[in-house]
Amino acid sequence: MGNSLKAIAAFVPSDECQKYLLEDLEEMPVDKMVDLSGRQLRRLPPHICSFRELVKLYLSDNNLNNLPPELEQLQNLQILALDFNNFKVLPLVVCTLKQLCILYLGNNKLCSLPLELRLLQNLKTLWIESNCLQCLPEVVCELSLLKTLHAGSNALRTLPAQLRCLQELRTIWLSGNLLSEFPPVLLDMPFLEVIDVDRNSIRFFPSLAHLPGLKLVIYDHNPCRNAPKVAKGVRRVGRWSEETPEPRKRSGAVIEITLDEKPSPPPATKPEPE
């Protein structure tokens, strides 16, 4: 019954209904975190933006497609979760939050990212998975401190050459895109530790043995004819991963890994900033 009432209240923009959805959240919590996930919100009540010391704001799994300009007041915000909403365009006010370390934008309807995103020079983790991106926005390549990029389940066919400028990048997740070849730019990024190109259309893998920082490469569910060669100690997840780098043609055997052998996907729990 409670969820039904919230669903009805979400359509009514009155202050009373918004207060009901917020469950009387009127003062900033002691832990400087506000979690409004799954409240069926259609707008963010401006009074939340008066919590100027707020560090974490979770707005996941709502019906938001815009944000109030008052959000700019939250200049101490380090984590902002906007995933599982209805954003077609990233509100520019997000790009004014210069202390952001982690930004969740997954599972929206984004086709691009604004150039103003470059202002978020403290950003270390960016989640843009499950959107409508046909190419990786080049502005991402200007986020110099970025360590983790989740860009899976889009429609990416290639990656920009400028990506090599992200020398702090350690993990890149590209599962479920439209890559027909292994992105050449990744071959020039020796500092990468995890590369995930699972569920693409890659038919041939170049050698990755020259990447000294590599620890894990996930290449399963590609129509590949070979496994990528890697340095000793690097874990591979995909066909022929337990054999020599090239499949044994004389036997014609193809070894599939079990589900238990595959690493777990990125945690659902939102990580803390480093």
Side-chain angles (χ1 to χ4, degrees), residues 110-112 131-137 154-160 177-179:
L110 300 172
C111 295
S112 63
N131 275 286
C132 304
L133 299 170
Q134 296 185 8
C135 59
L136 185 69
N154 280 285
L156 305 181
R157 296 181 181 274
T158 186
L159 297 179
N177 277 287
L178 301 176
L179 301 172

Side-chain angles (χ1 to χ4, degrees), residues 244-270:
T244 56
E246 299 298 327
R248 297 175 182 174
K249 297 180 180 179
R250 65 177 181 273
S251 67
V254 174
I255 297 180
E256 300 283 355
I257 66 167
T258 66
L259 292 176
D260 291 338
E261 291 176 302
K262 187 170 182 179
S264 301
T269 302
K270 307 281 194 290

Side-chain angles (χ1 to χ4, degrees), residues 69-206:
E70 292 86 351
L71 191 73
E72 186 176 4
Q73 300 175 37
L74 302 183
Q75 287 300 312
N76 291 301
L77 206 62
Q78 296 181 28
I79 301 178
L80 177 60
L82 300 174
D83 46 331
F84 293 94
N85 276 285
N86 293 316
F87 291 101
K88 294 182 179 180
V89 176
L90 180 65
L92 292 182
V93 67
V94 172
C95 302
T96 68
L97 306 174
K98 297 183 180 180
Q99 296 304 314
L100 278 184
C101 297
I102 302 177
L103 179 58
Y104 297 94
L105 301 175
N107 290 272
N108 278 285
K109 301 173 183 177
L110 300 172
C111 295
S112 63
L113 294 174
L115 292 177
E116 289 81 357
L117 192 73
R118 61 166 65 105
L119 299 175
L120 301 183
Q121 284 300 308
N122 285 307
L123 206 61
K124 294 181 179 179
T125 299
L126 177 61
W127 294 56
I128 50 175
E129 79 285 1
S130 299
N131 275 286
C132 304
L133 299 170
Q134 296 185 8
C135 59
L136 185 69
E138 292 186 4
V139 68
V140 172
C141 304
E142 299 185 45
L143 303 173
S144 60
L145 295 184
L146 200 65
K147 289 187 175 182
T148 303
L149 176 61
H150 292 266
S153 300
N154 280 285
L156 305 181
R157 296 181 181 274
T158 186
L159 297 179
Q162 297 93 317
L163 195 69
R164 64 169 60 91
C165 297
L166 296 183
Q167 298 193 14
E168 296 298 319
L169 194 65
R170 296 295 179 267
T171 303
I172 185 165
W173 304 85
L174 299 166
S175 176
N177 277 287
L178 301 176
L179 301 172
S180 59
E181 66 172 349
F182 187 84
V185 66
L186 299 185
L187 301 175
D188 296 328
M189 301 178 71
F191 34 81
L192 283 175
E193 297 179 358
V194 177
I195 299 175
D196 177 14
V197 289
D198 184 26
R199 299 184 186 279
N200 277 278
S201 300
I202 301 173
R203 293 186 175 277
F204 176 79
F205 281 94

Side-chain angles (χ1 to χ4, degrees), residues 37-55:
S37 301
R39 304 293 183 91
Q40 303 188 48
L41 295 173
R42 292 182 174 272
R43 65 183 179 93
L44 177 64
H47 87 271
I48 296 297
C49 303
S50 67
F51 301 160
R52 293 178 182 241
E53 299 302 314
L54 202 64
V55 173

